[in-house]
Amino acid sequence: MQKTVTIPFMLMGILFNVCLIASNLLETKVIQVGGITATAGLMVFPISYIINDCIAEVWGYKKARLIIWSGFAMNFLVVAFAQLAIMLPGAPFWEGEEGFNFVFGMAPRIVFASLCAFLVGSFINAYVMSKMKIASNGKNFSARAVISTLLGESADSLIFFPIAFVGIIPANELLIMIGTQAFLKSAYEVLILPVTIRVVKYIKKIENTDVYDTNISYNILKVKDI
């Protein structure tokens, strides 16, 4: 069993982590485009699901599991370092305290909701991709990518918004936000699908690999099993 990772896999993992961290920081800005209100993180976060699809398709569930946990760990570290920086006293001449705290001073409730939603949504996405690939004998990648993303993104929204905002935002508004976020993120996947297909084909070619997850454990805690 191969216990090493290749350069393409490493680069995909780095991009995955960067997108996750960037999306969390961009969540602090609310944008409005064409009458649709969303957070700026919406520009970046769906890319992590696209990368998740690529990794699960090319290298299999075990490699996807490794990347998901690395993303979780890196997000946790960024949040921890940010809280430490906020606790440290600012220099008397520095005037950026309020803005810095606004961007990095995420409430524990929001952080908890975000990390939980990310883990559940990402693992559902990878699991569905893996199982559907076996069931379809590797065919219909487009359908598998869209369905896995829709289920993963829906789970992400269903977990994040209630934990983060119940009691703060009215229930009917929460339902609208959940539906809107899940739809927009899945639509993002559909729009960029032609690029995703080409990337997957290219990586399979240069890596000379196309993993089918037969006889593996889907236990999310078996991170060392790569």
Side-chain angles (χ1 to χ4, degrees):
M1 182 65 67
Q2 185 182 14
K3 293 293 184 180
T4 60
V5 296
T6 61
I7 291 177
F9 176 79
M10 181 185 69
L11 293 176
M12 293 285 278
I14 292 171
L15 181 59
F16 181 81
N17 287 329
V18 169
C19 288
L20 288 176
I21 294 169
S23 66
N24 280 341
L25 295 178
L26 294 175
E27 288 291 315
T28 55
K29 180 172 182 176
V30 178
I31 60 175
Q32 189 171 60
V33 180
I36 298 176
T37 302
T39 60
L42 184 63
M43 299 185 301
V44 182
F45 186 73
I47 298 177
S48 66
Y49 274 78
I50 294 169
I51 297 173
N52 194 340
D53 287 341
C54 292
I55 292 174
E57 173 69 15
V58 178
W59 292 286
Y61 177 85
K62 292 191 288 186
K63 291 290 198 301
R65 175 173 55 202
L66 175 65
I67 287 299
I68 290 169
W69 277 114
S70 75
F72 176 87
M74 294 307 102
N75 268 290
F76 184 84
L77 279 176
V78 169
V79 170
F81 289 145
Q83 298 308 307
L84 178 60
I86 289 172
M87 292 169 58
L88 295 173
F93 55 82
W94 187 57
E95 299 179 355
E97 184 81 11
E98 184 177 351
F100 184 89
N101 290 348
F102 178 78
V103 174
F104 291 100
M106 294 176 287
R109 180 177 176 179
I110 301 295
V111 172
F112 178 74
S114 177
L115 293 177
C116 287
F118 160 70
L119 279 180
V120 174
S122 295
F123 275 116
I124 287 177
N125 182 76
Y127 176 83
V128 173
M129 274 291 293
S130 173
K131 286 293 189 180
M132 289 187 69
K133 182 175 183 178
I134 297 173
S136 65
N137 197 28
K139 299 178 181 178
N140 304 318
F141 171 76
S142 297
R144 291 187 281 114
V146 172
I147 291 172
S148 63
T149 296
L150 178 61
L151 293 175
E153 295 284 14
S154 297
D156 183 284
S157 296
L158 283 169
I159 292 172
F160 175 75
F161 285 103
I163 294 177
F165 299 116
V166 70
I168 300 175
I169 297 177
N172 61 322
E173 292 295 330
L174 268 180
L175 290 175
I176 293 173
M177 292 176 70
I178 290 170
T180 301
Q181 290 282 316
F183 172 77
L184 290 176
K185 290 175 180 178
S186 299
Y188 195 124
E189 166 86 34
V190 174
L191 289 175
I192 205 170
L193 193 57
V195 177
T196 307
I197 292 172
R198 285 170 173 79
V199 169
V200 166
K201 287 182 178 179
Y202 176 74
I203 295 176
K204 283 183 178 180
K205 182 179 179 180
I206 64 173
E207 289 282 90
N208 192 29
T209 186
D210 187 9
V211 174
Y212 286 76
D213 293 316
T214 54
N215 301 319
I216 70 163
S217 171
Y218 285 96
N219 185 336
I220 66 171
L221 298 178
K222 287 192 174 183
V223 184
K224 291 183 178 181
D225 183 14
I226 62 172

